[in-house]
Amino acid sequence: MNLIPDIKLNDTKTFDYAKAYKECFVDLDKEIERPDVVLGIGYHDYKGQQYLNPTCTKDEWSAIIAPQKSKKTFFKRALVASFIGGNAENYFPSIKSQRQGEPYILDFDTEQGKYYAQRSFKGVEEMVGAKYKNYLAFGLKKLSDDERVLFIDSVVNDPRYKGKIALICIDGIADLCTNTNDIEKSKTVGQKILEWNEGCHIITVIHKTFEKDKATGHLGTFVQKKAETTIFLNVTDAETKNSPVEVKQKDSRGAPFDTFYFDLDLTNVMPKECEPAKW
């Protein structure tokens, strides 16, 4: 019997204290398993043994932060393809998948029209070398910011997919806010990210400010502060076409990966790891 009454927040919503207490209480005598690794980049040594870096884990989210035209979407594509597996390891051998079974992958693009969005999404299949039936792609450019939030929320909670999702990508998280400096709107989107990542990992993509290594706006600050992993992309030579992109991890709750580089394989226009000595 619940002796603690619900707390009324407003005319339509109450706060279930008993439920929240049960969910939030941390039993210090109970062993809690480490969260499942969804994707790992590189390895680290611990007590004489080698372990995959927990770059992207279950119930967390990561942020790809980069300036315009720095191949952010190509790198996001590489992460998704690497999670699926197949031939992706030929392009990015450093990224290791810990996929179990055939969970759903939800990939949302907020910036590109249907033609370019489809090209990007199909690039995942091309890197893998096969079709993955549970990879679902959506182009949200024509929706308003509020509609985008509602749409993502609806797909994540769709009974066909709920509880079976391992990875969510939101390429253009800033487009869920009309103004990324709107504190209240940013909080709302941030809270939604916390809800959506239950049982899965979310990869967000957001622009970097010009003057320093910081994601844009209040939303960017929230994403950067709360993310499990932040990955910064930097073009090594802005004056040279297709110059390699530096991939650098700035923040991490787990062991960080070493900086590496990628460029485009111009034969098939695929992102591919490259050696720093290449240029």
Side-chain angles (χ1 to χ4, degrees):
M1 179 179 179
N2 180 16
L3 300 178
I4 304 170
D6 290 341
I7 300 169
K8 194 169 185 180
L9 297 178
N10 52 45
D11 291 337
T12 60
K13 190 174 182 181
T14 58
F15 176 64
D16 188 339
Y17 170 71
K19 180 182 177 183
Y21 187 96
K22 185 177 180 180
E23 291 178 347
C24 298
F25 178 74
V26 179
D27 187 345
L28 303 187
D29 296 320
K30 182 181 178 181
E31 185 176 351
I32 299 176
E33 294 182 2
R34 287 178 178 270
D36 294 335
V37 176
V38 176
L39 279 170
I41 303 178
Y43 293 84
H44 66 279
D45 291 322
Y46 179 69
K47 293 185 177 181
Q49 291 191 336
Q50 199 172 60
Y51 297 91
L52 181 67
N53 290 331
T55 310
C56 302
T57 65
K58 185 179 175 182
D59 297 324
E60 298 286 350
W61 81 78
S62 55
I64 300 171
I65 304 170
Q68 293 181 3
K69 309 304 179 186
S70 54
K71 301 182 177 67
K72 298 183 294 297
T73 298
F74 277 108
F75 184 65
K76 186 258 327 186
R77 178 196 300 180
L79 292 174
V80 175
S82 295
F83 176 68
I84 296 172
N87 296 334
E89 66 178 1
N90 297 333
Y91 298 94
F92 281 81
S94 294
I95 305 176
K96 303 298 182 183
S97 172
Q98 294 288 281
R99 177 168 66 88
Q100 298 178 10
E102 295 189 343
Y104 284 99
I105 301 166
L106 308 181
D107 200 347
F108 301 96
D109 185 287
T110 68
E111 298 179 342
Q112 302 180 99
K114 270 194 172 182
Y115 173 75
Y116 288 105
Q118 187 194 56
R119 281 181 59 181
S120 177
F121 295 140
K122 286 182 74 66
V124 171
E125 291 183 350
E126 291 171 13
M127 287 186 71
V128 173
K131 187 174 183 65
Y132 181 71
K133 65 177 182 178
N134 290 337
Y135 172 55
L136 307 179
F138 304 91
L140 311 186
K141 183 179 180 180
K142 290 190 175 182
L143 302 181
S144 69
D145 57 338
D146 288 337
E147 289 173 333
R148 290 173 185 136
V149 174
L150 288 170
F151 182 81
I152 294 172
D153 192 59
S154 298
V155 177
V156 171
N157 289 290
D158 188 316
R160 292 173 293 177
Y161 316 126
K162 188 173 177 62
K164 307 170 189 174
I165 303 166
L167 184 64
I168 299 172
C169 293
I170 306 175
D171 193 346
I173 189 75
D175 290 322
L176 304 190
C177 276
T178 304
N179 177 6
T180 56
N181 284 314
D182 184 322
I183 295 177
E184 291 306 314
K185 254 308 185 47
S186 297
K187 282 183 179 178
T188 299
V189 173
Q191 186 58 42
K192 278 297 176 184
I193 297 173
L194 289 171
E195 294 175 15
W196 295 335
N197 76 347
E198 184 178 352
C200 67
H201 186 87
I202 296 180
I203 296 171
T204 61
V205 181
I206 191 167
H207 286 157
K208 182 180 86 69
T209 56
F210 287 102
E211 64 274 11
K212 52 187 175 181
D213 284 348
K214 183 181 180 300
T216 54
H218 287 296
L219 178 60
T221 299
F222 176 88
V223 168
Q224 191 169 348
K225 281 185 176 180
K226 302 294 185 180
E228 172 186 39
T229 297
T230 58
I231 299 173
F232 281 81
L233 305 184
N234 293 291
V235 177
T236 54
D237 183 357
E239 302 301 318
T240 302
K241 186 176 181 180
N242 193 35
S243 64
V245 176
E246 178 191 64
V247 183
K248 187 174 184 178
Q249 185 169 349
K250 184 174 181 181
D251 302 300
S252 172
R253 294 203 183 113
F257 61 76
D258 293 332
T259 297
F260 66 98
Y261 301 82
F262 76 92
D263 59 10
L264 290 185
D265 179 344
L266 296 180
T267 303
N268 52 17
V269 197
M270 290 291 176
K272 187 174 184 178
E273 274 188 58
C274 64
E275 295 293 330
K278 184 175 179 178
W279 65 91

